[in-house]
Amino acid sequence: MADKTSDDKPDFARGIPAGDLPEGATVEGTLGEDKVLLLRRDGQVRAIGARCTHLGAPMGKGIVAEGEIRCPWHHARFSLETGEAVGAPAFDPLPCYRAEERDGRITVTGRRETASRSVTQAPGKVVQAPGKVVIVGGGAGGHACAEWLARAGHGAAVTLVSDDPDPPYDRTFCSKQYLSGKAQRGKTLLAPESFYSGDGPRLLRDRVVSLDLGAEEVVTAGGERLPYDALVIATGAAPRRPDLPGFDRPNVHTLRSLSDADALIAAASGARRVAVVGASFIGLEVAAAMVAREKTVTVVAPDAVPLEKILGEAVGRFVQGLHEEKGVTFRLGREVTGFDGRALTLGDGSRIEADLVVLGTGVAPRTDLAEAAGLALAAKDEGGGIAVDAHLAASAPGIYAIGDVASYPDPRGGQRLRVEHWVHAQRQGQHVARALLGEAAAFTETPFFWSGHYGTSLRYVGHAGSAEDTRIEGEVGKGDFAVTYREDGRDAALATCKRDKQSLEVEAAWDREARAAG
């Protein structure tokens, strides 16, 4: 038997019987104060940190694929050999440890020094200098691109221009942990402020007013002209505000930025009744956050079922039930016609009293700079955005577009996609950074997002244009399910609840399929 620690985990300094770790297995234990995960893959024993460096998920509940271990919650990826964070949303590496198997026993003898924030260079791989890189936009993709280049030793070559007053932060906190009061403001930051100083990337808090493609310069409102060898457009999207009477009132809010969340938190402190317009993911997450702040919440939307177009009727009704159990009232199949400062008016003549209104009515890609510069845009029926190729390169040399603003060819489905997912934007930023360092591969990452509702989390991988053709496993009503969405006779997307490994395995399989197609 293995010696146990106080939390019933084996003490790896004392060791475990080798038979307790068969091929393909994982065992979590401790080494002093560290939580450590032992794995046996291809006959080799490895020891790595047992908690994801993103938000602390137990890595033992993830999977290993193509030499990487994948986090069960938010699908971050780490090199099994070095611990390096090779796929967002994690940036910090997992610690690695020395493991020995001798005389039928496995012990962990200490921490290895191989894990670092540096980009691992494969043998024989030539890394080129990226030249001067200007990134427009300090959101998910912009920061991820700058961070990867800094890891490769080229941070000083990067200028990130952001019109957000805050340094890069995790935008998902704005509608989840921070808005609900479960996380302090400082926890939202993606990196210490010192990251954008000294020899690291330069953070320029300014607004870009034009792109001078002929001179290869970015022009800012503050009068700076920034020359570039590579330009990365990561301008993201802006919330849509319906043109309705009263929607310009000060107690009508949109939520996109950290300052928007600040304003909403301040407004909620003096409000009792909150109306959310739009049963979108953001709208419903705001509803949950307002419930956590003990507000009376009503959601009004034209849809018959929340999220039905994306997740289908069964999952949409399940999510609706989660909110109704917490006291949220839904007014569905209704159009809002205006707001007088005290109540929303609906198309049927009814009214919803509200001290505070939050709009969850979607976003539009910020393409004005690209359009004015003459870059090719995707058609509106393809979702709009800046048209890029399989490498995320735009129609002018040396220019890339990533994140919410990028319309790229999907290697699995063949159509153009513009995906508004946080992790996907980060991975596109990392892909462009690798391209600037000399890698020639196409972008083949499977889209992924998660959404949380009162402790129940949904994971969604892939992309489906509708939820009309579905295959359901498990029991949706009990919150244990996997729903496959099909298009043109193929599996296009998967939504899961309490089936994290299945979500990871499908994502890994679709990644392989996309690489083969690309």
Side-chain angles (χ1 to χ4, degrees):
M1 292 290 291
D3 293 296
K4 301 289 185 178
T5 59
S6 58
D7 61 354
D8 205 36
K9 301 290 185 185
D11 180 352
F12 288 151
R14 298 178 180 179
I16 64 171
D20 288 357
L21 190 71
E23 176 65 30
T26 61
V27 175
E28 183 179 328
T30 62
L31 183 68
E33 298 296 318
D34 293 359
K35 292 181 171 65
V36 179
L37 187 69
L38 277 179
L39 313 91
R40 191 190 296 273
R41 292 295 185 278
D42 299 323
Q44 186 174 359
V45 175
R46 301 181 187 275
I48 60 172
R51 292 292 180 268
C52 180
T53 58
H54 174 229
L55 289 179
M59 297 302 295
K61 295 184 180 295
I63 67 167
V64 172
E66 285 83 44
E68 298 169 355
I69 186 165
R70 301 189 176 203
C71 164
W73 291 355
H74 307 117
H75 294 205
R77 303 200 304 270
F78 302 86
S79 166
L80 202 55
E81 175 64 30
T82 68
E84 181 192 350
V86 294
F91 296 115
D92 293 324
L94 287 175
C96 294
Y97 301 84
R98 295 186 297 274
E100 294 183 357
E101 184 172 7
R102 184 181 301 170
D103 299 328
R105 201 163 181 82
I106 300 171
T107 57
V108 178
T109 60
R111 187 178 288 211
R112 289 165 48 199
E113 298 300 324
T114 53
S116 71
R117 290 182 66 87
S118 299
V119 172
T120 303
Q121 184 172 338
K125 175 182 172 183
V126 177
V127 177
Q128 67 184 29
K132 294 179 181 177
V133 180
V134 175
I135 302 171
V136 182
H143 172 78
C145 186
E147 193 275 343
W148 193 277
L149 290 170
R151 274 199 247 174
H154 297 285
V158 179
T159 299
L160 188 150
V161 189
S162 175
D163 58 5
D164 196 306
D166 291 289
Y169 51 86
D170 188 330
R171 200 182 303 281
T172 67
F173 274 63
C174 293
S175 62
K176 298 180 176 74
Q177 297 96 319
Y178 180 54
L179 188 62
S180 64
K182 295 178 182 177
Q184 297 297 312
R185 201 176 195 279
K187 292 293 185 181
T188 68
L189 297 184
L190 289 170
E193 288 206 53
S194 59
F195 177 76
Y196 286 100
S197 62
D199 295 331
R202 177 194 180 198
L203 174 60
L204 176 59
R205 289 184 173 92
D206 203 344
R207 180 173 57 87
V208 173
V209 294
S210 66
L211 309 176
D212 188 336
L213 304 192
E216 296 185 333
E217 291 181 333
V218 168
V219 184
T220 75
E224 291 208 43
R225 297 186 70 90
L226 305 171
Y228 64 82
D229 296 299
L231 171 63
V232 183
I233 303 175
T235 43
R240 299 180 189 273
R241 186 181 286 263
D243 185 15
L244 292 173
F247 271 32
D248 56 351
R249 291 178 179 273
N251 55 340
V252 178
H253 290 252
T254 57
L255 178 60
R256 179 70 178 176
S257 67
L258 194 53
S259 0
D260 290 341
D262 289 336
L264 187 50
I265 290 168
S269 67
R272 183 171 60 87
R273 298 161 301 187
V274 178
V276 177
V277 179
S280 61
F281 283 106
I282 290 293
L284 294 177
E285 288 174 359
V286 167
M290 292 296 103
V291 167
R293 292 183 178 273
E294 301 181 342
K295 308 302 174 184
T296 299
V297 181
T298 301
V299 175
V300 57
D303 316 283
V305 178
L307 307 175
E308 182 178 14
K309 293 178 182 177
I310 300 172
L311 299 179
E313 181 179 358
V315 179
R317 290 198 184 280
F318 167 70
V319 174
Q320 180 180 345
L322 294 176
H323 286 267
E324 289 176 333
E325 287 173 6
K326 296 295 183 178
V328 175
T329 299
F330 284 85
R331 300 287 296 276
L332 300 171
R334 307 292 206 284
E335 295 284 350
V336 175
T337 59
F339 179 59
D340 64 8
R342 298 182 302 277
L344 288 171
T345 55
L346 307 186
D348 60 4
S350 62
R351 290 165 59 86
I352 299 172
E353 293 186 352
D355 309 305
L356 172 63
V357 173
V358 187
L359 304 180
T361 47
V363 298
R366 297 173 62 187
T367 59
D368 51 333
L369 286 172
E371 186 173 9
L375 294 177
L377 303 183
K380 288 186 178 180
D381 60 3
E382 294 176 325
I386 301 170
V388 296
D389 66 13
H391 302 274
L392 306 182
S395 58
I399 300 179
Y400 299 82
I402 59 176
D404 294 2
V405 79
S407 172
Y408 72 99
D410 174 22
R412 291 189 66 239
Q415 78 277 26
R416 282 199 165 273
L417 295 182
R418 190 182 62 80
V419 178
E420 297 169 357
H421 302 340
W422 175 257
V423 171
H424 207 57
Q426 290 179 312
R427 292 179 181 171
Q428 287 186 337
Q430 292 176 328
H431 179 86
V432 167
R434 291 192 294 268
L436 297 178
L437 296 172
E439 291 193 16
F443 179 74
T444 56
E445 299 273 3
T446 301
F448 163 75
F449 73 88
W450 77 94
S451 185
H453 307 266
Y454 313 103
T456 296
S457 290
L458 305 178
R459 324 276 183 217
Y460 185 101
V461 298
H463 178 85
S466 75
E468 294 179 359
D469 183 0
T470 62
R471 182 176 68 250
I472 298 176
E473 303 170 42
E475 297 185 62
V476 174
K478 293 184 178 180
D480 182 358
F481 59 82
V483 179
T484 301
Y485 305 90
R486 294 177 56 77
E487 283 187 335
D488 301 324
R490 65 180 181 87
D491 292 353
L494 174 75
T496 60
C497 185
K498 294 183 181 177
R499 299 193 176 201
D500 291 344
K501 281 197 173 182
Q502 183 175 356
S503 178
L504 286 170
E505 287 164 352
V506 167
E507 180 187 54
W510 288 351
D511 282 347
R512 289 191 294 269
E513 181 184 331
R515 285 195 297 272

